[in-house]
Amino acid sequence: MTRRGYFLRLAFSMLIDVLDFTLGRIPIFGTVTDGVGTAVLFLLWGKAGLAYAWEVVDITDQLDGFIPTATLIALWVGWKQGMFGRRSGVPSAPAQE
């Protein structure tokens, strides 16, 4: 994935969280959008996107909007792929002599 592609996906994930915070608070509609959001994030981020499915558990649709799950998933994937510089905890390649 290119850096540009990553940041476009990150922006889309942030949009999903904004919509979840605003329109996602409507009962029943919010639960449906959480399910659709899980499918979309799975397509964007792979298996990591399935972590968004926890938002379906909140049947009141009031609490889950305050946790930016889609953005956190995007940031985690970006960190794992080294989009923010050298990955933390991963040793660098040995020096060539």
Side-chain angles (χ1 to χ4, degrees), residues 10-56:
L10 173 63
F12 192 68
S13 294
M14 292 171 74
L15 177 66
I16 289 173
D17 278 332
V18 168
L19 292 175
D20 186 39
F21 181 72
T22 55
L23 299 176
R25 300 190 59 166
I26 301 169
I28 300 173
F29 180 75
T31 304
V32 171
T33 57
D34 288 341
V36 171
T38 301
V40 169
L41 289 171
F42 177 73
L43 292 174
L44 287 176
W45 304 113
K47 290 181 183 178
L50 294 176
Y52 194 77
W54 83 268
E55 293 207 0
V56 177

